């Protein structure tokens, strides 16, 4: 083995990735070549900096307990949630990134009065803008988006497109199912830094609710409802049903919808 | 409170105990890597929680006796790549075959060597501060930081890194090579800024 071959294998050697044959060839070269030996020693020393000199960081103890708590949650029998009880958004142990955590709502609207309407609503996220953060209202929480999503699906009885939403950068943190007039509304909580009004399109399904009032804004017709602290605006565009959900005031939602049109 | 009073099933209890013993054992390692990746303690904690929760859900798929840390780090990098750092996933623009590759060894031996009376390497390494070592990693462009963290800090094999990041083995090697050189360059620059070393005038 010559020097250039040895140098080429230097990092593989230090990473312990050499096959026995190459390993012994490198080692015998190092026995006879002090120049290569020096560079090998140097690189080894350099490498050990990263093991020896980075201060031992240990995970905060509450992180461990938070994980264990959430595992306990996962192990709970999965039943439907009572809708009346108010629960804290995050338990203190889970509040690990409370600052700047913006909560976003995804509404999935389904008419429970129509038992046959079980096929997936085709819900697509279209757009979102900034909203203020929130600290309450979570009923279901999980760090695993899939489990939130499947929970909501179970509760609502149809497939959601939450994964499509998550692709836009938010992490699904939890959700809940509300009963409002004759509709079941699913709300999903996302953590993200830049989302606010969630807008969805339903390709199927009508949206009329006794509690919904009809609003006219700049020559267009909308349906508006307040569901607890959320405002919901529904309108039609070219045969598609749009749903915007937010904590924003009605005017903000109307303005948002109008700007889209 | 979300917690219910029902006690978890015995099966779940068992699984949890096994999970604590085999997976949660690596909490510190996963946390450290998450810190190096996100550079943000709160984000790192979130990422670690996501990682362990996901690991728990898929714990049945983990083969006992194989490298659990590598498995956890794979889950972590996966979540990190797909959910956290989407925006900065664009390549840094650094190419692997830039003409001159920085060599700390040559800098220290060649230039500093003439100045320093004895053991310029020791002189250099002794003066590198712990915080600079950390910074050298955090200053790396994303794609190099990932492989450096998994290799130098967590000692994963090329194969394990390739699987964790979903890249080719050859890519792991070239990024790692380049990553090391960039680390050396970073440390050299910090040392220069502190006046510990200086580029020779003839350079
Ligand atoms: Zn040699």
């Amino acid at each position: 083995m010559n020097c250039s071959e040895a140098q080429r294998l230097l990092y593989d050697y230090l990473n312990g990735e050499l096959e026995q044959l190459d390993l012994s060839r490198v080692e015998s070269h190092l026995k006879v070549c002090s120049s290569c030996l020096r560079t090998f020693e140097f690189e080894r020393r350099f490498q050990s900096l990263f093991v020896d000199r980075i201060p031992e960081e240990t995970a905060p103890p509450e992180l461990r307990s938070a994980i264990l708590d959430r595992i306990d949650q996962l192990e709970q029998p999965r039943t439907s949630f009572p809708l009346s009880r108010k629960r804290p958004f995050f338990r203190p142990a889970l509040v690990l990134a409370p600052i700047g955590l913006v909560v976003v709502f995804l509404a999935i609207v389904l008419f429970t009065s129509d038992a046959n309407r079980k096929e997936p609503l085709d819900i697509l996220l279209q757009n979102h803008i900034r909203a203020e953060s929130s600290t309450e209202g979570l009923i279901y929480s999980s760090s695993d988006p899939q489990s939130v999503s499947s929970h909501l699906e179970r509760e609502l009885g149809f497939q959601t497109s939450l994964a499509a939403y998550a692709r836009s950068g938010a992490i699904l943190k939890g959700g809940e199912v509300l009963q409002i007039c004759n509709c079941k509304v699913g709300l999903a909580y996302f953590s993200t830094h830049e989302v606010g009004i969630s807008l969805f399109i339903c390709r199927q399904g009508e949206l009329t609710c006794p509690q919904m009032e009809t609003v006219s804004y700049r020559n267009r017709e909308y349906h508006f409802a307040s569901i607890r602290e959320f405002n919901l605006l529904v309108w039609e565009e070219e045969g598609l049903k749009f749903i915007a959900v937010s904590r924003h005031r009605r005017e903000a939602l109307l303005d948002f919808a109008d700007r889209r049109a | 409170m979300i917690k219910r009073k029902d006690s978890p099933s015995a099966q779940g209890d068992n699984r949890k105990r096994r999970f604590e013993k085999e997976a949660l054992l690596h909490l510190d390692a996963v946390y450290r890597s998450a810190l190096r990746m996100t550079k943000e303690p709160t984000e790192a904690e979130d990422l670690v929680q996501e990682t362990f929760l996901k690991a728990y859900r898929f714990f049945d798929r983990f083969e006992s006796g194989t490298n659990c840390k590598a498995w956890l780090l794979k889950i972590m990098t996966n979540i990190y790549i797909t959910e956290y750092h989407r925006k900065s996933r664009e390549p840094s623009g650094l190419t692997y075959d830039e003409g001159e590759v920085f060599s700390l060894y040559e800098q220290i031996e060649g230039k500093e060597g003439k100045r320093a009376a004895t053991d310029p390497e020791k002189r250099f390494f002794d003066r590198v501060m712990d915080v600079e070592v950390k910074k050298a990693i955090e200053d790396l462009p994303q794609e190099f930081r990932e492989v450096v963290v998994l290799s130098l800090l967590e000692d994963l094999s090329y194969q394990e890194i390739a699987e964790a990041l979903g890249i080719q083995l050859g890519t792991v090697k070239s990024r790692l090579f380049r990553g090391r050189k960039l680390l050396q360059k970073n440390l050299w620059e910090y040392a220069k800024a502190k006046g510990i070393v200086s580029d020779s005038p003839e350079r």
Side-chain angles (χ1 to χ4, degrees):
Chain A
M1 176 172 287
N2 58 31
C3 291
S4 70
E5 203 182 338
Q7 292 296 330
R8 197 172 49 77
L9 296 175
L10 193 163
Y11 289 130
D12 292 345
Y13 173 79
L14 291 177
N15 285 322
E17 297 274 355
L18 285 186
E19 306 275 331
Q20 190 53 49
L21 180 67
D22 280 337
L23 182 65
S24 47
R25 288 174 67 226
V26 167
E27 280 173 345
S28 39
H29 179 77
L30 292 179
K31 275 183 194 139
V32 297
C33 178
S34 63
S35 144
C36 279
L37 183 64
R38 286 198 70 179
T39 57
F40 272 58
E41 281 308 316
F42 178 84
E43 292 291 343
R44 194 206 298 279
R45 204 163 160 187
F46 176 77
Q47 180 167 321
S48 66
L49 271 184
F50 297 91
V51 182
D52 303 340
R53 300 288 294 279
I54 293 199
E56 269 298 290
E57 286 148 317
T58 51
E62 61 274 15
L63 182 57
R64 187 190 169 85
S65 47
I67 292 168
L68 289 171
D69 278 1
R70 294 176 73 175
I71 286 175
D72 283 342
Q73 260 167 260
L74 276 182
E75 290 294 347
Q76 300 305 321
R78 291 182 179 128
T79 53
S80 50
F81 290 111
L83 294 169
S84 52
R85 230 190 307 161
K86 275 233 172 186
R87 295 164 193 236
F89 181 64
F90 275 133
R91 281 175 294 153
L94 297 178
V95 180
L96 292 167
I99 301 148
L101 183 84
V102 178
V103 182
V104 187
F105 314 95
L106 156 68
I108 303 140
V109 182
L110 177 78
F111 284 85
T112 48
S113 55
D114 186 350
N116 297 325
R117 195 166 277 138
K118 287 280 181 187
E119 69 268 31
L121 277 180
D122 198 349
I123 300 167
L124 298 165
L125 176 87
Q126 288 299 294
N127 203 358
H128 37 68
I129 58 173
R130 199 173 180 80
E132 68 272 35
S133 61
S134 144
T135 51
E136 55 156 347
L138 185 79
I139 286 192
Y140 182 68
S141 91
S142 166
S143 68
D144 181 1
Q146 207 48 55
S147 93
V148 175
S149 151
S150 49
H151 178 81
L152 286 174
E153 283 172 7
R154 254 197 313 275
E155 288 287 302
L156 292 166
F158 62 85
Q159 262 188 304
T160 64
S161 300
L162 297 176
Y165 185 90
R167 272 201 296 276
S168 76
I171 297 161
L172 192 51
K173 289 282 188 185
E176 68 180 288
V177 176
L178 303 172
Q179 184 83 34
I180 178 80
C181 44
N182 64 339
C183 319
K184 249 186 180 179
V185 177
L187 292 170
Y189 300 100
F190 292 92
S191 79
T192 182
H193 300 288
E194 56 193 37
V195 197
I197 292 177
S198 299
L199 176 65
F200 304 91
I201 304 174
C202 295
R203 285 224 182 87
Q204 321 165 15
E206 310 160 48
L207 214 63
T208 46
C209 177
Q211 280 185 14
M212 282 213 149
E213 60 180 292
T214 304
V215 187
S216 188
Y217 185 74
R218 296 198 182 156
N219 298 325
R220 289 168 66 93
E221 195 173 85
Y222 300 90
H223 301 280
F224 177 83
S226 276
I227 303 174
R228 286 196 356 207
E229 66 268 49
F230 314 116
N231 286 330
L232 201 104
L233 193 71
V234 182
W235 69 97
E236 257 180 66
E237 267 177 45
E238 293 162 5
L240 296 174
K241 201 72 81 175
F242 285 71
I243 310 162
V245 187
S246 162
R247 278 175 190 267
H248 286 315
R249 286 174 308 117
R250 175 163 86 176
E251 288 69 26
L253 276 172
L254 283 167
D255 189 53
F256 169 75
D258 184 59
R259 270 186 286 112
R260 267 194 45 83
Chain B
M1 290 290 285
I2 294 159
K3 215 169 192 169
R4 282 159 208 276
K5 290 202 172 74
D6 325 49
S7 66
S9 65
Q11 197 188 358
D13 250 10
N14 235 329
R15 186 181 156 94
K16 192 180 159 193
R17 265 198 302 276
R18 224 188 94 221
F19 187 76
E20 281 192 72
K21 223 169 69 189
E22 289 180 48
L24 224 49
L25 175 75
H26 302 289
L27 178 62
D28 287 342
V30 174
Y31 175 70
R32 271 197 295 274
S33 298
L35 258 185
R36 294 289 89 74
M37 299 260 197
T38 61
K39 304 192 240 180
E40 259 291 326
T42 51
E43 214 171 88
E45 288 180 25
D46 264 3
L47 177 57
V48 170
Q49 280 205 42
E50 310 256 345
T51 302
F52 278 95
L53 263 281
K54 189 163 187 189
Y56 186 76
R57 290 173 59 82
F58 292 102
F59 198 42
D60 293 335
R61 295 201 205 153
F62 170 69
E63 289 169 49
S64 244
T66 61
N67 188 346
C68 191
K69 189 173 85 175
W71 182 68
L72 290 165
L73 290 171
K74 177 180 176 173
I75 296 173
M76 186 200 77
T77 46
N78 218 288
I79 298 176
Y80 179 68
I81 290 167
T82 55
E83 294 180 15
Y84 281 72
H85 251 260
R86 202 166 290 92
K87 279 182 221 119
S88 56
R89 290 304 293 169
E90 297 91 46
S92 62
L94 283 168
T95 53
Y96 301 114
D97 51 0
E98 281 171 22
E100 198 202 355
V101 174
F102 184 85
S103 165
L104 185 61
Y105 179 74
E106 278 164 28
Q107 291 289 339
I108 291 174
E109 287 300 314
K111 287 154 185 165
E112 281 299 295
K114 287 174 197 151
R115 244 190 302 274
T118 52
D119 202 350
E121 286 175 35
K122 185 173 187 317
R123 183 168 173 268
F124 182 85
F125 283 125
D126 283 353
R127 292 191 184 194
V128 170
M129 295 185 351
D130 296 0
V131 55
E132 292 169 335
V133 177
K134 206 161 84 174
K135 185 168 159 32
I137 294 181
E138 293 183 348
D139 283 352
L140 289 177
Q142 181 67 34
E143 75 233 60
F144 301 107
R145 198 162 77 236
E146 292 164 356
V147 291
V148 161
V149 166
L150 296 180
S151 173
L152 294 193
L153 269 52
E154 299 306 336
D155 212 25
L156 261 53
S157 71
Y158 291 165
Q159 186 58 44
E160 285 165 338
I161 297 170
E163 281 171 22
L165 298 173
I167 55 180
Q168 301 283 315
L169 209 88
T171 312
V172 173
K173 284 175 74 164
S174 58
R175 281 190 196 174
L176 200 50
F177 175 79
R178 190 84 198 133
R180 280 173 184 268
K181 295 298 175 192
L182 289 169
L183 281 175
Q184 296 190 349
K185 192 163 187 225
N186 285 350
L187 284 176
W188 180 256
E189 297 295 332
Y190 307 153
K192 238 165 57 184
K194 284 193 304 184
I196 293 173
V197 297
S198 61
D199 284 331
S200 308
E202 69 263 23
R203 197 183 177 187

